[in-house]
């Protein structure tokens, strides 16, 4: 499968919708922190208690984790592992791939459960996937609009150049 182009162009209204969805998911899962990163490890949005946490490093490591497990998946004949779970003594991390484009990370403790997180992530993933699909459609439409404008130099003919320099 070809890699997805993860160059996202998000407008303010897209970011607001994404932040609202992850805030709702945080409330429904009673989690500590949720963040969304692209496959390159760039933080897109976050919600929750980020004190004393290097979210930039965590976002990069998450993308690396997805890439590493993607390699493991291919070795055993799978396309990818779309959900990862890490259980710690105090905190747990649930990682899922949304619409093959972005990575949703949820950090939660004993106030929630893996079952609740998985259930709520499934529904929220659909909402986030729709948002990113709309973002992709906007990007494609803008590309078509830009193609329709053509180059400002395309109207210049050889005769125009000869007259200018000849």
């Amino acid at each position: 499968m070809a890699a997805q182009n993860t160059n996202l162009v998000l407008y303010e209204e897209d970011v607001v919708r994404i932040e609202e969805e992850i805030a709702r998911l945080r409330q429904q899962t009673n989690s500590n922190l949720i963040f969304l990163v692209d496959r390159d490890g760039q933080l897109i949005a976050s919600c929750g208690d980020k004190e004393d946490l290097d979210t930039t490093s965590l976002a990069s490591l998450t993308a690396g984790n997805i890439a590493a497990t993607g390699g493991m998946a291919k070795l055993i004949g799978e396309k990818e592992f779309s959900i990862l779970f890490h259980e710690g003594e105090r905190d747990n991390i649930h990682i899922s791939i949304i619409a093959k484009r972005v990575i949703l990370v949820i950090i939660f403790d004993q106030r929630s459960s893996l079952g609740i997180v998985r259930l709520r992530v499934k529904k929220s993933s659909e909402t986030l996937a729709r948002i990113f699909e709309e973002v992709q459609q906007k990007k494609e439409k803008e590309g078509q609009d830009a193609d329709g404008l053509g180059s400002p130099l395309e109207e210049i003919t050889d005769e125009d150049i000869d007259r200018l320099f000849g």
Side-chain angles (χ1 to χ4, degrees):
M1 170 183 252
Q4 293 280 328
N5 181 359
T6 58
N7 294 331
L8 296 171
V9 177
L10 298 173
Y11 292 97
E12 186 174 341
E13 64 264 16
D14 303 321
V15 173
V16 168
R17 291 174 58 202
I18 291 167
E19 288 176 342
E20 287 174 353
E21 183 58 30
I22 64 173
R24 181 179 13 261
L25 180 59
R26 180 175 179 247
Q27 184 180 27
Q28 291 174 339
T29 58
N30 201 23
S31 57
N32 299 336
L33 174 65
I34 295 179
F35 61 96
L36 201 60
V37 298
D38 69 11
R39 284 182 171 256
D40 295 327
Q42 298 294 315
L43 184 64
I44 297 171
S46 65
C47 178
D49 184 16
K50 297 178 272 198
E51 281 189 34
D52 303 325
L53 188 63
D54 182 356
T55 54
T56 303
S57 294
L58 192 55
S60 295
L61 291 169
T62 299
N65 191 352
I66 289 294
T69 54
M72 290 170 43
K74 286 181 181 167
L75 287 175
I76 64 167
E78 290 286 331
K79 289 181 185 173
E80 67 182 1
F81 295 120
S82 60
I83 296 174
L84 305 174
F85 175 67
H86 300 282
E87 183 175 1
E89 288 182 20
R90 193 189 61 201
D91 292 318
N92 308 303
I93 300 176
H94 183 278
I95 301 171
S96 55
I97 300 171
I98 308 293
K100 299 179 181 178
R101 291 189 175 107
V102 295
I103 304 164
L104 177 67
V105 181
I106 300 176
I107 300 174
F108 63 98
D109 58 20
Q110 74 281 354
R111 293 177 296 145
S112 188
S113 71
L114 179 59
I116 291 292
V117 169
R118 289 188 70 172
L119 179 69
R120 299 298 184 182
V121 163
K122 187 173 182 179
K123 184 169 183 173
S124 189
S125 293
E126 294 169 4
T127 301
L128 289 168
R130 275 194 306 274
I131 292 170
F132 284 101
E133 183 60 37
E134 290 171 15
V135 167
Q136 183 64 31
Q137 288 172 354
K138 279 187 213 173
K139 180 181 174 183
E140 291 170 3
K141 184 178 183 314
E142 289 173 357
Q144 290 173 348
D145 290 346
D147 288 345
L149 293 176
S151 169
L153 302 176
E154 72 184 14
E155 295 178 4
I156 298 174
T157 63
D158 289 340
E159 289 93 27
D160 293 334
I161 294 172
D162 288 342
R163 274 188 301 234
L164 185 63
F165 296 106

